[in-house]
Amino acid sequence: MTEANQTATEEPLVLREDRDGIAYLTLNRPNQFNALSEELLDALQGSLDAIAEDKSVRVVVLAGNGRAFCAGHDLKQMRGQSERAYFQQLFTRCGQVMTRITQLPQPVIARVHGIATAAGCQLVASCDLAIAEEGARFAVSGINVGLFCGTPSVPLSRNVGRKQAMEMLLTGGFISAQQAQAQGLINRAVPLDELDEEVMKLARTICGKSSASIALGKAMYYKQLEMGVDQAYQFASEAMADNMMFEDVGEGIDAFAEKRPPNWQDR
């Protein structure tokens, strides 16, 4: 077990445990429903930066300690500030953490329980994959306190349809895990007692693939999303041609022909 942002007298804000190529990151402000304080954002950024350079990590699982996944920004901390520059810096910082998730070479799976609201819902939408327990609920609820969830709308609108996203943003209302799955915010919803097993099944499946090819593919996927169709096809074609030069591809094709498991280069 390694711990991020720990002092001699304080609990770590992000817990990290590595097991069988999977890095488990757990937000650790349970009494505040894992609200994203400045300090927690810094701790999460540090953990993600460390994982990005760690070749032993093939998949990341992001979870929350206590009764909820993440309740968004720390409103109490925010209320103690009054300068526009502070809020500009805070929301920019949060956006950088979300972007770091998509820039990470390893896939990131959100393990969601309880609630994921405002920037917490943004965090789910920013992860590559998400599995939630059936009782989980999601909202971009800033409008309920007079604050339109502008930055959460960025990944939300890239996951769900426009009208579904606008309804969430304009009403601040919750949607269920089943609605979140139907709208594309999460991959699936499962009973709480099956949540860890389902997350592990997905993580282990990804661990069995070529990490070099996954890193290339993840980077290509997010870049092509922002392109026109013709440009996206050209970019994807170049990425696939590069991918074909990987030793893992030759090994994978040989293994398929020989009806045996592939022996990836980084194993």
Side-chain angles (χ1 to χ4, degrees):
M1 172 80 73
T2 60
E3 299 169 340
N5 215 42
Q6 183 178 13
T7 69
T9 58
E10 296 178 346
E11 283 289 312
L13 295 175
V14 175
L15 305 175
R16 175 177 170 181
E17 181 179 3
D18 290 15
R19 193 165 66 245
D20 299 327
I22 305 169
Y24 302 84
L25 294 182
T26 304
L27 307 180
N28 191 35
R29 297 187 74 207
N31 294 333
Q32 295 79 28
F33 296 95
N34 299 310
L36 296 174
S37 64
E38 300 171 62
E39 296 80 10
L40 180 50
L41 285 171
D42 287 344
L44 183 54
Q45 179 78 59
S47 295
L48 294 171
D49 287 345
I51 286 172
E53 303 300 322
D54 192 337
K55 301 298 185 183
S56 70
V57 176
R58 304 174 72 87
V59 179
V60 180
V61 173
L62 182 61
N65 197 5
R67 293 178 291 167
F69 176 73
C70 178
H73 284 292
D74 189 326
L75 296 180
K76 183 176 180 180
Q77 187 180 63
M78 291 170 63
R79 193 69 181 98
Q81 303 292 330
S82 60
E83 297 295 325
R84 185 186 187 281
Y86 169 83
F87 296 114
Q88 175 69 52
Q89 187 277 333
L90 175 65
F91 297 134
T92 298
R93 186 81 181 93
C94 183
Q96 290 170 342
V97 172
M98 305 297 169
T99 302
R100 189 60 168 127
I101 291 173
T102 59
Q103 292 174 342
L104 215 63
Q106 303 94 336
V108 181
I109 305 170
R111 176 207 179 276
V112 188
H113 75 293
I115 60 170
T117 55
C121 189
Q122 179 183 3
L123 193 57
V124 175
S126 297
C127 289
D128 305 300
L129 303 162
I131 298 178
E133 55 108 348
E134 290 177 333
R137 298 189 299 156
F138 304 80
V140 277
S141 48
I143 198 66
N144 293 335
V145 297
L147 179 66
F148 188 88
C149 280
T151 48
S153 76
V154 175
L156 181 69
S157 63
R158 286 161 170 76
N159 280 248
V160 308
R162 291 186 180 186
K163 287 181 171 58
Q164 288 85 359
M166 282 300 290
E167 182 172 351
M168 292 179 69
L169 290 160
L170 294 173
T171 68
F174 279 98
I175 63 171
S176 67
Q178 293 74 21
Q179 289 173 299
Q181 178 179 348
Q183 295 178 15
L185 181 59
I186 65 173
N187 294 86
R188 49 191 164 274
V190 299
L192 179 58
D193 61 0
E194 298 176 15
L195 180 57
D196 287 327
E197 179 184 355
E198 194 70 20
V199 170
M200 289 307 97
K201 185 190 302 182
L202 180 57
R204 291 189 185 112
T205 297
I206 297 170
C207 281
K209 313 304 180 185
S210 163
S211 62
S213 297
I214 283 178
L216 178 145
K218 177 177 172 177
M220 181 280 299
Y221 176 79
Y222 285 112
K223 287 181 181 178
Q224 65 83 25
L225 284 176
E226 307 306 319
M227 299 175 180
V229 173
D230 290 342
Q231 184 184 9
Y233 267 119
Q234 180 61 37
F235 179 71
S237 296
E238 292 173 0
M240 288 192 73
D242 290 340
N243 199 170
M244 281 298 301
M245 299 298 100
F246 289 7
E247 290 185 21
D248 275 352
V249 176
E251 165 61 16
I253 293 172
D254 290 346
F256 177 79
E258 297 165 11
K259 296 181 172 55
R260 61 173 175 81
N263 183 22
W264 305 124
Q265 189 177 20
D266 56 359
R267 283 293 177 83

